[in-house]
Amino acid sequence: MAGSSSETMLVRAGDDAVGPQDMFNKELQTYRKIVGANLMFHREVYGLLRALLVEHAPASFRFLDIACGDASASAAMLRTMAIGNYVGIDLSEASLRLAARELDGLPCPVELRCSDFAQAMAKWSEPVDVIWIGMSLHHLPATGKAQLMRDARRSLGGEGMFIIWEPALFEGEERSSWLARFSLLRDEWSAVSDEEFASMERHMLLADFPETVGTWLGMGRDAGFSQAEEIFMMPNKMGRVFRFSN
């Protein structure tokens, strides 16, 4: 049965944590402006994700959207696909209310869970074919990133795909240099105001902890994935998409 805003199940997990997602709540409108202007190349990334699903996902695949936010990009991508089940996890109730509307009409059952995604994945026990996380895993420390990789591997049960889109350092690059590279993009981000751009810089300084390509791939292999590959680099070279599978 097709999901709708009235049929979508929203489950709240008790969690009083304050962290990067709370900052995202305050900057939700700026984020939507960034997506609309394609400043972070959402169109290219989600086009690639769709192509991967078409080629590799099983019929009626079960899709887990970690840190789904308002789910607008996922909803647009999945609406015409043979998806069997969608679960989205996010700590922001405001984002999930938007997600319920965005996912209206998705041709499968839809469930949205209000929870810290790392905690949710540590306890995950349901079958899933594809796990996706975009621009969120980098908020965790290195140990947290590695643990979520292991939880994703366990949740897929040796099959399926874990796909991530995350900031990436050049080999040998320091985090401070990566942040400086973002500051140099100001002229290209003309769709946002100086205040909004400065807010993004503050957010990144406080909450963004990218890894090198080698580290991202190594974490996946250490988690037990036999195949780990980079499949896309953002044109501004700030982030990459990686696929992990067996």
Side-chain angles (χ1 to χ4, degrees), residues 9-234:
M9 184 183 298
L10 174 57
V11 179
R12 179 177 181 177
D15 195 310
D16 296 324
V18 175
Q21 188 64 39
D22 298 278
M23 290 186 287
F24 175 79
N25 290 345
K26 298 176 183 178
E27 299 164 358
L28 184 57
Q29 292 307 312
T30 300
Y31 175 78
R32 288 169 74 89
K33 185 185 296 186
I34 289 167
V35 173
N38 202 38
L39 297 177
M40 292 178 64
F41 307 100
H42 280 73
R43 294 171 198 159
E44 291 82 356
V45 169
Y46 279 85
L48 173 65
L49 178 58
R50 190 182 196 283
L52 287 174
L53 296 177
V54 168
E55 183 175 358
H56 298 288
S60 298
F61 61 90
R62 297 159 296 190
F63 188 85
L64 175 57
D65 198 352
I66 299 177
C68 64
D70 68 6
S72 56
S74 292
M77 173 195 66
L78 294 168
R79 193 162 286 123
T80 59
M81 300 194 70
I83 180 172
N85 183 69
Y86 174 97
V87 177
I89 302 171
D90 204 275
L91 189 58
S92 165
E93 290 188 24
S95 293
L96 291 178
R97 285 193 292 270
L98 292 171
R101 294 198 292 268
E102 293 285 352
L103 294 162
D104 183 40
L106 205 65
C108 69
V110 170
E111 184 177 348
L112 298 173
R113 304 182 183 181
C114 189
S115 176
D116 174 274
F117 67 78
Q119 294 177 13
M121 288 305 299
K123 300 181 289 186
W124 192 268
S125 61
E126 301 159 46
V128 62
D129 300 304
V130 179
I131 302 175
W132 160 251
I133 183 168
M135 287 292 165
S136 295
L137 183 54
H138 65 281
H139 293 318
L140 302 180
T143 54
K145 296 182 182 89
Q147 182 59 55
L148 193 133
M149 291 271 195
R150 292 192 291 271
D151 291 335
R153 171 66 176 76
R154 171 184 51 77
S155 299
L156 289 167
E159 299 181 356
M161 294 185 293
F162 179 43
I163 308 165
I164 71 173
W165 170 31
E166 297 296 336
L169 304 171
F170 297 139
E171 293 302 322
E173 184 180 33
E174 297 291 334
R175 177 174 178 260
S176 59
S177 298
W178 178 82
L179 291 167
R181 283 201 283 125
F182 177 76
S183 296
L184 294 175
L185 297 175
R186 177 65 190 106
D187 289 345
E188 298 178 25
W189 282 50
S190 58
V192 301
S193 68
D194 288 342
E195 181 181 355
E196 289 169 330
F197 191 82
S199 179
M200 285 291 297
E201 290 183 301
R202 289 193 297 272
H203 168 92
M204 293 168 71
L205 178 63
L206 290 170
D208 286 15
F209 300 95
E211 306 289 349
T212 65
V213 172
T215 299
W216 283 122
L217 294 174
M219 284 181 173
R221 296 189 185 100
D222 290 345
F225 290 103
S226 59
Q227 298 180 33
E229 58 181 332
E230 175 191 336
I231 57 176
F232 179 75
M233 179 174 68
M234 293 164 62

